[in-house]
Amino acid sequence: MPTFDEIKSILSHYTVGIAGAGGLGSNIAQALVRAGVGRLIIADFDVVSESNLNRQFYFADQLGRYKVEALKENLLRIRPEVTVEIHNLHLTSQNIPVIYPTVDVMVEAFDVAEMKRVLIELFASTFPSIPLVVGNGMAGWGNSNTMTVREMGNLYLCGDGVSEVSVNLPPIAPRVGICASQQANVVVSLLLSKYFGNENNP
Amino acid sequence: MKITLNNRAEELDLNQPAISIEELLVLKSFTYKMLFVKHNGVVIKKEDYPVTNVAEGDNVEVIHLMTGG
């Protein structure tokens, strides 16, 4: 089995795209930077608000700042040599193919279900060979064992597949973190499988 | 007509050899407002639901997508 230095050195050659820098995207980015992924391409239009701090990888002194800028700053504090390409915009079916064509693995980290579908349909038709890792169902608390990874070809669905966010079922750090970590774990596993086989399946 | 729907064998009582994805979603009461469909392993765009036919032996997966992230 490889050492972490070997793992980090392999991951440094790869680019991962992340669509959205909220509860999923910011935490996935953090995990991938710590694991050693060389380059991230992250897009989001939003600014950091107080309600984000219950789960997103931002700090109180970053309120009001653009998420992609604050996130890049936080990621560079973890590992200054990582390359973080940021796009401060609303992702659409028009600009997604322009921003993400060079990624080795793509991560869906949107909030809104409609955008999850747009990305799934777009990647299937435009970049069918790029694996897409989706977060679907992580609201509330407890029920840790309902969080799973479902493999559907090169589409990977993480989360419980049932819990929709609402006023009475808010997204909270632990469960959002489980889903984000499942997604990051699938990404790392896909990238390393080229070197170490599928011994550790996604 | 026998198909596989979400990994389960499903017998559809039809008097026609095929059914569109759109008709199948109504027939099997998939009422979620946001979902995506894979037909024999291929993601089908929403606008293609009426023109994509499901036939004997096909594999269809319907996944509910929910807000949160």
Side-chain angles (χ1 to χ4, degrees):
Chain A
M1 294 302 282
T3 63
F4 181 65
D5 280 346
E6 290 168 320
I7 288 168
K8 200 170 69 171
S9 144
I10 290 167
L11 293 179
S12 73
H13 295 107
Y14 289 107
T15 299
V16 177
I18 303 177
L24 295 176
S26 64
N27 287 304
I28 293 164
Q30 181 198 184
L32 294 179
V33 166
R34 290 191 193 277
V37 170
R39 181 165 167 256
L40 298 179
I41 303 176
I42 306 170
D44 199 298
F45 64 90
D46 208 1
V47 296
V48 180
S49 64
E50 192 159 4
S51 65
N52 299 152
L53 298 181
N54 75 345
R55 66 193 187 284
Q56 305 189 15
F57 179 47
Y58 299 104
F59 299 93
D61 60 10
Q62 293 177 318
L63 292 177
R65 295 191 49 199
Y66 285 115
K67 286 184 177 177
V68 287
E69 290 175 4
L71 182 56
K72 179 172 180 173
E73 190 176 288
N74 296 344
L75 297 173
L76 290 174
R77 286 180 67 189
I78 297 171
R79 195 157 59 84
E81 66 275 22
V82 68
T83 303
V84 183
E85 180 184 319
I86 56 174
H87 298 269
N88 188 7
L89 44 72
H90 261 105
L91 286 169
T92 65
S93 50
Q94 281 73 44
N95 61 25
I96 288 169
V98 180
I99 292 173
Y100 294 108
T102 59
V103 302
D104 297 292
V105 179
M106 184 67 198
V107 174
E108 179 284 317
F110 288 122
D111 180 22
V112 178
E114 167 78 43
M115 283 308 294
K116 293 178 190 281
R117 179 170 72 194
V118 166
L119 193 69
I120 290 169
E121 293 185 354
L122 191 66
F123 259 69
S125 59
T126 314
F127 306 113
S129 62
I130 299 177
L132 175 63
V133 185
V134 174
N136 194 39
M138 75 298 296
W141 61 96
N143 295 319
S144 303
N145 292 347
T146 62
M147 305 292 285
T148 60
V149 176
R150 177 169 172 186
E151 187 176 345
M152 302 176 74
N154 66 355
L155 177 65
Y156 297 83
L157 292 180
C158 303
D160 64 22
V162 291
S163 66
E164 180 130 27
V165 165
S166 68
V167 176
N168 298 313
L169 199 63
I172 315 173
R175 223 156 177 274
V176 173
I178 292 174
C179 189
S181 292
Q182 284 181 321
Q183 289 180 271
N185 198 29
V186 170
V187 171
V188 167
S189 149
L190 288 169
L191 295 176
L192 293 180
S193 69
K194 298 170 185 182
Y195 291 81
F196 306 118
N198 291 312
E199 178 178 334
N200 297 343
N201 70 52
Chain B
M1 182 171 87
K2 285 179 186 163
I3 64 167
T4 304
L5 180 61
N6 285 344
N7 299 321
R8 280 192 199 157
E10 194 69 55
E11 174 103 49
L12 305 178
D13 190 16
L14 299 176
N15 44 14
Q16 57 197 67
I19 183 173
S20 72
I21 298 274
E22 184 167 82
E23 291 165 328
L24 179 69
L25 294 178
V26 173
L27 182 70
K28 299 310 293 180
S29 306
F30 284 101
T31 53
Y32 307 126
K33 65 176 186 279
M34 202 55 60
L35 38 79
F36 78 93
V37 174
K38 270 192 149 191
H39 175 229
N40 292 336
V42 178
V43 175
I44 305 297
K45 287 190 174 176
K46 193 185 180 201
E47 61 260 35
D48 293 333
Y49 291 173
V51 296
T52 305
N53 279 335
V54 177
E56 176 78 27
D58 283 1
N59 182 19
V60 180
E61 291 163 289
V62 182
I63 306 291
H64 176 200
L65 291 172
M66 63 221 61
T67 287

